[in-house]
């Protein structure tokens, strides 16, 4: 029985499948299933968004997803089923960008594993997001590849009585 499913889904070929995620993590042993579904939103940082393009290095992304499973398993224990899938390519408003689902015997472990997995995907996976705006402009997200640099900046600012930058991803 498989305990992990990881995937990168090219948007030109298919959409992320939430039902498949739920089906994968469902198990007669499990009373807890937690999911996170990230969708493309129409506003970000005060700008109207028309879509997003995701690019990623697939072999490393899949390896990162597998490492996330190993950490989740060490934290919450077995049995655990985890499903992690991320979209690649051009997405429109409302399209699913990422699906994470965790199944465990109890809800606490399911919530913890799901939360840990999505946060690790956002902070560690080699995934780059470019937002496209209604005015025709676009910008690469200063997401989690810059997290450590931002934390250092926030610490330095706090030491001087300044507020830190908002962390939006």
């Amino acid at each position: 029985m498989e305990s992990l499913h990881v995937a990168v889904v090219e948007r030109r070929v298919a959409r992320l499948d939430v039902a498949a995620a739920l089906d994968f993590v469902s198990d007669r042993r499990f009373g807890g299933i937690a999911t996170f579904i990230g969708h493309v939103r129409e506003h970000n940082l005060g700008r109207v968004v028309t879509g997003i393009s995701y690019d990623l290095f697939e072999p490393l992304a899949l390896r990162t997803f597998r490492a996330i499973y190993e950490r989740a398993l060490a934290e919450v224990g077995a049995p655990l089923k985890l499903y992690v899938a991320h979209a690649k390519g051009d997405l429109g408003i409302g399209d699913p960008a990422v699906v994470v689902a965790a199944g465990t015997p109890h809800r606490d472990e399911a919530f913890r594993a799901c939360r840990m997995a999505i946060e690790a995907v956002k902070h560690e996976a080699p995934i780059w997001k470019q937002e496209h705006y209604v005015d025709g402009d676009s910008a690469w997200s200063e997401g989690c590849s810059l997290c450590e640099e931002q934390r250092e900046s926030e610490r330095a600012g706090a030491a001087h009585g300044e507020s830190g930058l908002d962390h939006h991803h």
Side-chain angles (χ1 to χ4, degrees):
M1 175 181 346
E2 297 266 339
S3 295
L4 174 65
H5 175 88
V6 296
V8 170
V9 178
E10 174 60 57
R11 181 59 183 96
R12 288 175 293 167
V13 176
R15 289 175 57 104
L16 295 178
D17 188 346
V18 176
L22 292 174
D23 186 53
F24 181 81
V25 299
S26 293
D27 189 298
R28 293 177 59 160
R29 301 170 295 165
F30 297 164
I33 293 176
T35 60
F36 175 83
I37 305 158
H39 288 264
V40 177
R41 60 185 176 266
E42 67 179 349
H43 289 90
N44 189 33
L45 300 174
R47 298 186 76 179
V48 178
V49 176
T50 60
I52 289 179
S53 299
Y54 281 102
D55 196 8
L56 52 86
F57 182 58
E58 189 169 341
L60 185 53
L62 294 173
R63 189 166 61 220
T64 301
F65 298 165
R66 288 183 196 99
I68 291 167
Y69 168 77
E70 293 300 327
R71 288 200 318 268
L73 185 60
E75 183 175 313
V76 303
L80 165 67
K81 284 185 156 185
L82 187 67
Y83 182 104
V84 179
H86 203 290
K88 178 181 180 182
D90 298 328
L91 282 72
I93 302 303
D95 284 344
V98 60
V99 175
V100 174
T104 64
H106 304 284
R107 71 179 174 275
D108 179 60
E109 293 91 351
F111 280 128
R112 287 190 295 130
C114 187
R115 177 67 185 251
M116 189 197 106
I118 186 57
E119 293 300 334
V121 166
K122 297 294 284 183
H123 288 84
E124 299 171 21
I127 300 171
W128 299 275
K129 176 174 80 170
Q130 183 180 30
E131 287 186 328
H132 306 285
Y133 305 107
V134 72
D135 64 6
D137 191 21
S138 65
W140 289 96
S141 172
E142 293 183 6
C144 288
S145 63
L146 303 177
C147 287
E148 186 56 37
E149 182 178 312
Q150 180 173 337
R151 282 192 292 272
E152 289 175 20
S153 174
E154 289 171 351
R155 281 190 289 262
H160 292 82
E162 301 168 7
S163 65
L165 302 170
D166 288 333
H167 191 96
H168 300 281
H169 52 77

